[in-house]
Amino acid sequence: METGTSRVKRGMAEMQKGGVIMDVMSAEQAKVAEAAGATAVMALERVPSEIRAAGGVARMADPTIVEEVMKVVSIPVMAKARIGHYVEAKVLESMGVDYIDESEVLTPADEVFHISKHEFTIPFVCGAKDLGEALRRIQEGAAMLRTKGEPGTGNIVEAVRHLRLINGQIRKIQGLSKDELYHEAKLLGVAYDLLLNVHETGKLPVVNFAAGGVATPSDAALMMHLGADGVFVGSGIFTSENPEKFARAIVEATTHYQDYKLIAEVSKNLGAAMKGIEISKLNSSERMQDRGI
Amino acid sequence: MKIGVLALQGAVAEHIRSLEAAGAEAVAVKRVEQLDELQGLVIPGGESTTIGRLMRKYGFMEAIADFSAQGKPLFGTCAGLIVLADEIEGQEDAHLRLMDMTVARNAFGRQQESFETDLSVKGIDEPVRAVFIRAPLIKKVGSTVDVLSTYRDEIVTARQGHLLAVSYHPELTDDHRLHAYFVDMVKEAAASKA
């Protein structure tokens, strides 16, 4: 009997496929998310748009919030640790959370090194905006990936950019010859074996979700159309006027992302979506996606 | 012979790959109309609360009950096993209530307790590699249910006529013998009707 194997960690993410993982800030919200059909919840003190508005240093949530969420739902509970913050991650693991997000939404604790994720029994999800980042995170032990997008903006453009880039790079790698692969591994800053695996299979070895800017059911469906395995929704749901209805609509649009009549139906009367932020209006220090490459 | 994999949420592609490796034609099922052309159906792993909610919303509760009443085989893995069960411990509402068993969700604990191990299964020669992820257990079965394997004295594989349920994930390995076992069940069911 073996726990914490790569198959067990990656397999857990496989079971999330086609699903929606929702940010929640309380036990109450977690129950709403579960009833609406979320496949997991991310327990947080503040959603990304509020972190953005509040400024200052964003850290791991108060363990009380995470514990309360774990008590009330039967679906998996995820929580965020700062990039490179080994101890926050160990604290979350000791509490028994099901998945740790080493996340650029929080203020990085280390500007060079990510956590060595192989040392944990608990699996990790990490953000990536290109194939190099994706494979470096897998190399460090991530068992699941998500696009970085630009969290808390309600603007899907960056998540689209990242997913298209990663998928385009995978197609390019498939077409390279073996000798070109050695050079490409050097350019991307990744291990040759990992790149060879992408070359042979034409896909990433772990599940890749969309995240960072999903604000409507159509946004979620667009990311599925572009090849995401599932969707993280952060600020969109519990800052909306009717979170329960909104959450159900996103779940259904993700499952039936090619059924446009159905998406039209679930999108009716959802109330105002997030106001959103135009990406060019962010100055460079406000761009969360540039953290932890 | 065509077998469907219920594709509302969960590990669908892996089951399709395993069924094809076991010699069947396999399709992802998102609408009830698709069931008519199928001889068997897999309910995959995923989150049972999500799958159950979407099944109710899109008419699969009645449609799969009809499918089963025609004697067409069903195979539930992990969340799929929970969906098939008559009773779920600690929950008032079960889902399809097709298989005479009581199951416990997350019976081993949280993700930290997820594991893989070798498991002997009645009807399959050598042990299979069984991957348990936040897995359920079968706590009680009716008299017409065959127990095909146990792990530490708890039931993890069971069959009741045309219904097969496992609490682990054969679709996450390259060993396709459990899928071949199910494909044989589908062939037998189709032959007995012909």
Side-chain angles (χ1 to χ4, degrees):
Chain A
M1 197 272 273
E2 297 157 64
T3 58
T5 63
S6 164
R7 186 148 59 190
V8 163
K9 290 173 171 178
R10 291 176 182 188
M12 156 81 200
E14 303 280 354
M15 297 311 137
Q16 294 284 312
K17 283 198 300 193
V20 180
I21 300 169
M22 302 181 189
D23 279 4
V24 298
M25 295 169 281
S26 66
E28 208 49 48
Q29 292 181 354
K31 281 195 273 188
V32 171
E34 182 177 48
T39 50
V41 290
M42 178 81 70
L44 295 167
E45 224 166 279
R46 282 194 291 236
V47 292
S49 62
E50 292 179 359
I51 288 175
R52 206 173 264 294
V57 174
R59 312 177 179 91
M60 174 184 79
D62 183 327
T64 321
I65 294 177
V66 181
E67 259 171 21
E68 281 170 7
V69 169
M70 284 167 56
K71 254 184 246 159
V72 299
V73 294
S74 64
I75 56 177
V77 176
M78 303 185 170
K80 288 183 193 292
R82 281 180 268 179
I83 290 174
H85 208 310
Y86 179 86
V87 171
E88 281 188 351
K90 277 290 173 193
V91 168
L92 292 173
E93 182 176 57
S94 77
M95 291 167 57
V97 303
D98 297 293
Y99 235 94
I100 297 170
D101 184 0
E102 187 182 17
S103 177
E104 67 281 4
V105 167
L106 305 181
T107 311
D110 194 318
E111 292 186 330
V112 180
F113 302 105
H114 279 71
I115 298 167
S116 172
K117 294 167 271 286
H118 295 288
E119 296 167 31
F120 290 71
T121 314
I122 291 299
F124 278 73
V125 54
C126 287
K129 55 186 193 300
D130 58 41
L131 185 62
E133 282 188 21
L135 294 180
R136 286 195 293 278
R137 297 297 87 79
I138 292 169
Q139 210 164 308
E140 295 154 3
M144 179 182 190
L145 293 169
R146 51 170 178 76
T147 60
K148 283 179 164 175
E150 191 52 51
T153 60
N155 189 338
I156 196 69
V157 68
E158 295 300 302
V160 167
R161 187 196 318 280
H162 299 161
L163 192 56
R164 275 199 181 274
L165 180 57
I166 290 173
N167 290 340
Q169 286 176 302
I170 291 174
R171 285 191 295 274
K172 180 188 153 195
I173 297 301
Q174 279 184 282
L176 295 182
S177 62
K178 290 268 165 77
D179 51 346
E180 289 169 331
L181 275 183
Y182 289 111
H183 180 68
E184 194 64 24
K186 185 177 69 184
L187 293 181
L188 291 176
V190 302
Y192 171 75
D193 289 351
L194 267 178
L195 201 63
L196 180 65
N197 179 271
V198 172
H199 171 74
E200 285 169 351
T201 61
K203 59 188 187 67
L204 292 167
V206 304
V207 162
N208 189 19
F209 269 45
V214 177
T216 67
S218 294
D219 284 351
L222 173 66
M223 298 313 293
M224 295 300 287
H225 165 76
L226 291 173
D229 290 312
V231 180
F232 281 89
V233 185
S235 317
I237 295 172
F238 289 101
T239 56
S240 75
E241 287 170 19
N242 187 342
E244 199 174 343
K245 193 172 170 197
F246 199 93
R248 281 201 305 262
I250 295 233
V251 168
E252 284 166 37
T254 303
T255 296
H256 293 287
Y257 66 94
Q258 290 166 314
D259 188 337
Y260 310 114
K261 276 191 182 150
L262 183 147
I263 298 172
E265 209 46 51
V266 301
S267 301
K268 285 177 183 167
N269 301 314
L270 287 181
M274 282 175 74
K275 178 160 178 282
I277 301 171
E278 162 65 38
I279 302 296
S280 63
K281 299 282 187 288
L282 293 175
N283 59 43
S284 61
S285 67
E286 293 169 324
R287 285 166 60 89
M288 291 174 174
Q289 61 178 284
D290 297 333
R291 296 165 167 178
I293 53 170
Chain B
M1 189 192 36
K2 213 179 204 182
I3 297 176
V5 181
L6 187 65
L8 297 173
Q9 192 271 318
V12 176
E14 290 72 14
H15 272 295
I16 289 180
R17 184 189 64 115
S18 300
L19 286 168
E20 285 173 350
E25 189 186 341
V27 290
V29 175
K30 290 208 180 219
R31 304 164 175 286
V32 290
E33 305 87 81
Q34 289 175 274
L35 292 174
D36 294 340
E37 55 173 36
L38 302 174
Q39 282 79 54
L41 182 70
V42 173
I43 305 178
E47 281 305 317
S48 63
T49 51
T50 307
I51 296 172
R53 207 191 85 73
L54 292 168
M55 282 176 61
R56 281 177 180 80
K57 172 91 190 185
Y58 294 108
F60 277 102
M61 301 298 282
E62 305 75 25
I64 295 178
D66 278 355
F67 188 87
S68 174
Q70 296 167 41
K72 293 182 175 176
L74 292 165
F75 181 17
T77 59
C78 195
L81 166 149
I82 296 167
V83 168
L84 286 176
D86 261 347
E87 300 282 343
I88 303 171
E89 268 188 9
Q91 240 173 269
E92 272 181 34
D93 289 336
H95 303 285
L96 285 169
R97 295 184 185 274
L98 290 174
M99 216 168 150
D100 190 2
M101 60 184 181
T102 301
V103 301
R105 294 179 61 202
N106 302 330
F108 296 91
R110 308 194 71 96
Q111 172 62 15
Q112 255 174 344
E113 276 74 50
S114 294
F115 64 98
E116 51 181 289
T117 190
D118 290 328
L119 185 73
S120 297
V121 180
K122 207 163 95 185
I124 292 177
D125 282 346
E126 298 287 317
V128 299
R129 191 70 182 165
V131 187
F132 292 82
I133 297 175
R134 290 172 44 94
L137 278 173
I138 304 170
K139 304 302 279 189
K140 215 167 67 190
V141 293
S143 57
T144 58
V145 177
D146 273 336
V147 173
L148 301 186
S149 71
T150 56
Y151 176 75
R152 295 189 176 164
D153 299 328
E154 303 264 22
I155 306 169
V156 293
T157 314
R159 177 176 175 179
Q160 182 182 14
H162 66 298
L163 307 172
L164 179 65
V166 304
S167 51
Y168 44 93
H169 294 283
E171 78 282 8
L172 291 182
T173 70
D174 291 325
D175 179 347
H176 307 300
R177 288 176 295 163
L178 266 159
H179 285 83
Y181 182 96
F182 180 63
V183 170
D184 284 344
M185 282 172 60
V186 176
K187 278 184 191 155
E188 279 163 31
S192 74
K193 275 210 316 199

